[in-house]
Each structure stands twice: as structure tokens, then as C-alpha cells.
Amino acid sequence: MLDYRIHTFLKVCETLNYTLAAKQLHITQPAVSQHIHYLEQEYETTLFVYSNKQLSLTRSGEILRKYLMTMQNDEKNIKKEIKSHEGMIETLSIGVTMTIGEYAIDNMK
């Protein structure tokens, strides 16, 4: 499961606006700022820059976005594949009489 800060980062990449990302994620704008700041500290780089009052990704941010999008897609595929196999699981129940059950089941431990 991907960290919630990754989801925040990807939403900011999509919107290029901290306030709009916060609104769409149903969190506060300061929380978005904290999530991005955490990731910048974790990866020791700047992910976004403001230029002419416009937010844009840095080269490091673009690289991180590329790999996190891949991870997000992999996570979705994993969940999809697991769900498709859930209906295929079968259970086996064995019933035995007390005489054979005491001997056979006890020796299986």
C-alpha cells in the first residue's frame, strides 16, 4: 500500500496547485505542504518550484512522479489480480470417525 504522502504528491503533480489538491484529497493545504516537505527531505531534493506565480515540477520531481505512477499502477494491478483469484479458492473438509480420527489426525501434528 502506497504511503498517503505519495498520493498527495501525485495529486499536486496532477493539479499543480496545493490548495486544489488539498480540496480534492479532503485535507488542509498546510497538510499538503507538510507531505511535500516530508518527501523533499526524504529524497533530499526540491520537487516543485514557483516561477511567475506558477507551480511546476523540477527535474527531480518529474523523475519521482514517473516512478511513483508506475508503483501506483502496479498496486492497482496487484489488487485486481488478487481479487480475480479470490473466487477460485476452494476449501476441503475431511470427516473421520473417532477411531481413525484419533489415530490419523493425532499423528499429523
Side-chain angles (χ1 to χ4, degrees):
M1 184 163 106
L2 294 178
D3 189 272
Y4 60 93
R5 291 171 282 225
I6 291 172
H7 293 292
T8 301
F9 171 75
L10 292 174
K11 184 57 73 173
V12 174
C13 289
E14 179 185 320
T15 62
L16 291 177
N17 185 306
Y18 280 38
T19 305
L20 185 57
K23 190 174 186 178
Q24 291 180 7
L25 292 170
H26 306 290
I27 59 176
T28 64
Q29 187 274 328
V32 171
S33 297
Q34 288 175 350
H35 294 177
I36 299 304
H37 182 69
Y38 173 85
L39 291 172
E40 288 178 334
Q41 286 184 324
E42 182 69 24
Y43 292 103
E44 299 176 356
T45 190
T46 301
L47 300 172
F48 295 97
V49 292
Y50 277 102
S51 178
N52 299 326
K53 297 184 180 183
Q54 180 84 18
L55 186 66
S56 60
L57 275 168
T58 62
R59 179 68 184 132
S60 298
E62 290 173 7
I63 292 168
L64 183 61
R65 180 183 174 271
K66 180 178 92 170
Y67 284 102
L68 292 180
M69 288 292 292
T70 301
M71 290 172 59
Q72 186 178 43
N73 289 332
D74 287 346
E75 181 184 32
K76 287 177 184 177
N77 289 334
I78 290 167
K79 287 180 179 181
K80 185 178 177 181
E81 188 171 342
I82 288 173
K83 285 187 183 246
S84 72
H85 289 288
E86 283 181 350
M88 300 171 70
I89 298 173
E90 296 181 19
T91 58
L92 175 64
S93 298
I94 300 174
V96 294
T97 63
M98 282 297 285
T99 306
I100 190 72
E102 289 174 5
Y103 175 76
I105 303 299
D106 192 41
N107 287 334
M108 292 176 72
K109 291 181 184 177

